[in-house]
Amino acid sequence: MAQQTPVARVEAPWREWMARWPTPADLAAASPGDVVRAWGRLGYPRRALRLREAAVAMVERHEGEVPRLETDLLALPGVGAYTAAAVAAFAFGDRTVVVDTNVRRVLARAVTGVAQAAPSLTAAESRLAASVVPEDPATSAVWNVAIMELGALVCQARRPRCESCPLADGCAWVEAGRPAYEGAVRRGQGYEGTDRKVRGDILQRLRDAPNSLPRQEFDDIDPAEGRIDRLLHALITEGFVEPLPNNGNRFRLTR
DNA sequence: GAGTCGTGGGG
DNA sequence: TCCCCAAGACT
């Protein structure tokens, strides 16, 4: 849930989710529509589908348990390098190299001396991150938590709190006078008028509908000819939506 | 490797 | 108001 979504916004939906589906087997038994509804407006709803698929995989391949090995975690749907390392470290205390946006920013500043990390993770960053994780497993687990929290709470993107930072002494960025970022500009995401916005609007209506909706219910979402149908069918292909078996003009979240 | 994929809040 | 950014993953 926290992939690309602020942790503070995740907490409430996460608690409800865990109360409803405490184990992988519980989640695996839910329908795609149920999990997409419970996901609500957290964003990137395909994460909800993948989380459910991961639960299915855990039941099938890991006796309903969350696997401990990073390689097994990586093989789960929706689990990439960051999440696999994070689960192995935070849940099991193993020595992994956790590199998320917070860790990247802390290392960019404290070690490399620049205001922010590159737009996407580079090989050099991965090497740097690996080189600073302590060898001892127990110590490394604490390290991973600490550097990530430091980035989230102190070494923040918009407002670095260098006054209260334990690394301020010896921070390369502070020593350089906190120079502004001069690198490739992250391309603006943009949202209004994009496919993502329209997809989001379609899904929101389907989440809010207790049962199914006729195709015309989406007409006012976007004026472009054919766009609604194109995106609606993409959502069907991706497993979010299904047409009613006996009426192809009505749609609902997948049951 | 660049594009795509949601949504909301803080500066 | 607008813009940036948020515990990334996948194609």
Side-chain angles (χ1 to χ4, degrees):
Chain A
M1 283 180 170
Q3 290 168 355
Q4 289 285 282
T5 302
V7 173
R9 189 145 63 87
V10 164
E11 184 176 350
W14 176 77
R15 290 189 183 284
E16 294 174 26
W17 186 286
M18 294 306 292
R20 184 171 181 183
W21 299 299
T23 72
D26 295 319
L27 183 58
S31 75
D34 285 339
V35 302
V36 168
R37 275 204 181 83
W39 196 262
R41 301 186 61 81
L42 277 181
Y44 293 138
R46 56 181 46 171
R47 294 180 297 167
L49 296 183
R50 290 187 182 135
L51 185 51
R52 178 184 162 281
E53 291 162 13
V56 171
M58 287 185 252
V59 169
E60 292 177 346
R61 308 202 289 259
H62 302 288
E63 302 173 337
E65 302 285 330
V66 177
R68 175 168 187 161
L69 292 182
E70 229 177 329
T71 53
D72 290 336
L73 288 161
L74 257 180
L76 297 172
V79 176
Y82 158 71
T83 303
V87 171
F90 302 155
F92 296 104
D94 291 334
R95 183 188 183 282
T96 62
V97 181
V98 176
V99 186
D100 79 324
T101 188
N102 294 297
V103 174
R104 293 183 62 212
R105 186 174 52 253
V106 169
L107 293 178
R109 289 174 178 165
V111 180
T112 311
V114 296
Q116 45 178 291
S120 57
L121 182 65
T122 66
E125 280 184 271
S126 297
R127 272 184 264 112
L128 171 59
S131 74
V132 294
V133 176
E135 285 304 322
D136 172 60
T139 309
S140 73
V142 175
W143 168 274
N144 280 321
V145 175
I147 190 170
M148 210 164 129
E149 289 297 296
L150 185 69
L153 303 177
V154 177
C155 192
Q156 295 180 337
R158 306 290 273 286
R159 190 188 173 321
R161 288 159 168 79
C162 301
E163 331 80 57
S164 52
C165 180
L167 298 187
D169 281 351
C171 172
W173 187 52
V174 168
E175 286 178 354
R178 296 175 53 165
Y181 178 67
E182 357 174 340
V185 179
R186 285 193 173 94
R187 43 181 201 82
Q189 295 189 25
Y191 188 52
E192 209 58 39
T194 63
D195 279 1
R196 272 152 69 183
K197 161 74 170 159
V198 175
R199 282 168 58 101
D201 288 349
I202 294 173
L203 274 187
Q204 183 180 354
R205 293 204 181 174
L206 287 166
R207 282 196 309 264
D208 292 343
N211 202 322
S212 68
L213 292 175
R215 166 66 183 79
Q216 305 85 275
E217 281 295 316
F218 309 111
D219 282 344
D220 62 307
I221 290 179
D222 189 90
E225 176 69 27
R227 190 179 201 182
I228 303 284
D229 288 305
R230 175 172 60 83
L231 295 177
L232 192 50
H233 283 86
L235 290 170
I236 292 171
T237 301
E238 293 169 42
F240 287 103
V241 179
E242 61 188 8
L244 288 195
N246 58 346
N247 183 352
N249 193 45
R250 295 188 69 93
F251 302 89
R252 68 184 178 201
L253 294 180
T254 305
R255 285 192 183 167

